[in-house]
Amino acid sequence: MATALIAGASGLVGGCLLQELLAADTYDRVVAVARRPLDVAHPKLVTVTTEFAALRTLERPLRGDDAFCCLGTTIKKAGSREAFRAVDQGAVLAFAWAAQQGGARRFFHVSSMGADASSRFFYTRVKGETDHALGVMGFDTLGIFRPSLLLGPRTEYRLGERLSAVGLALSEPFLIGRWRKFRAIPAEVVARAMLRASFGQGARGTLIYPSDEIQDLGRR
């Protein structure tokens, strides 16, 4: 049996993914790395509470076979561009490094639609830079998931996302073919897609999952 590592388990996608991992027969142990204790109890779950910047100094290195990263925030919630980058890039890469040092050869990461290291928009540029940095770390398999607008219950109110969700819901019948990737996507669908992408073994290189492929994989 195998051990799964997960970061971001208190978030929208991460919370759904944690439940998927705990229920999956594939893993007999799930190690969640978090800044604060999780409000989840399960015989398979071990929580490592630490700052991500301190992962290099852990007394016991993380040990796992597969790593799942659902870390992410917004500039508004983070408070500044620097704080946003510290989470969506710094914490992600720190977790990837720690997972790799602990034996993980496969890494599955939630990025964002439009992620591009050369983007003129700060948010998608940071996402793209992070994806690129992960790509040169040498994981046997790197799965990068780029969902559209995420749907699901959040702990904080996001007016912009609520309005966008309404707009996408009204336009969804017209989002077909190559436009289907712009449909809003439930967080639990992304979580199931990440778990299912981990099924099977063997080196597969870097795999990019756009939102329409995530929809198919997560609902199949």
Side-chain angles (χ1 to χ4, degrees):
M1 298 295 284
T3 295
L5 307 174
I6 180 173
S10 62
L12 184 59
V13 175
C16 295
L17 180 57
L18 178 60
Q19 296 303 320
E20 294 284 345
L21 293 172
L22 292 173
D25 293 335
T26 315
Y27 302 102
D28 62 346
R29 186 167 176 263
V30 178
V31 178
V33 182
R35 295 176 58 194
R36 292 176 292 276
L38 299 175
D39 189 21
V40 179
H42 193 280
K44 290 167 56 172
L45 179 63
V46 176
T47 303
V48 176
T49 306
T50 182
E51 295 290 335
F52 285 88
L55 283 174
R56 291 177 180 268
T57 63
L58 288 179
E59 290 186 10
R60 295 182 179 179
L62 298 177
R63 297 294 182 190
D65 300 281
D66 299 334
F68 298 83
C69 184
C70 303
L71 293 168
T73 186
T74 63
I75 298 175
K76 180 179 180 181
K77 184 176 180 180
S80 68
R81 288 189 169 193
E82 292 73 18
F84 169 81
R85 187 184 289 276
V87 174
D88 280 59
Q89 189 170 93
V92 170
L93 296 181
F95 175 62
W97 177 88
Q100 192 173 60
Q101 294 301 305
R105 301 308 305 162
R106 304 195 300 169
F107 194 86
F108 303 92
H109 167 60
V110 180
S111 181
S112 173
M113 173 180 282
D116 184 347
S118 62
S119 174
R120 62 193 179 98
F121 299 106
F122 179 77
Y123 179 88
T124 50
R125 185 170 69 250
V126 171
K127 292 287 190 180
E129 290 172 353
T130 303
D131 292 354
H132 176 76
L134 291 171
V136 300
M137 291 186 67
F139 286 101
D140 290 347
T141 297
L142 172 63
I144 296 178
F145 295 78
R146 293 177 175 171
S148 179
L149 179 69
L150 293 169
L151 300 177
R154 294 188 183 272
T155 55
E156 77 276 9
Y157 182 76
R158 297 183 181 182
L159 177 61
E161 288 192 0
R162 291 286 182 90
L163 295 176
S164 296
V166 172
L168 285 174
L170 294 174
S171 61
E172 185 165 303
F174 306 100
L175 297 176
I176 58 178
R178 65 191 182 96
W179 300 102
R180 195 165 67 93
K181 65 182 180 180
F182 292 102
R183 291 182 179 181
I185 183 169
E188 63 267 23
V189 172
V190 180
R192 283 198 299 270
M194 294 181 75
L195 176 63
R196 290 173 181 173
S198 72
F199 292 168
Q201 298 295 325
R204 293 191 291 168
T206 298
L207 306 172
I208 306 293
Y209 296 90
S211 201
D212 54 340
E213 291 185 15
I214 298 172
Q215 293 268 16
D216 294 338
L217 184 59
R219 285 186 168 142
R220 191 171 300 157

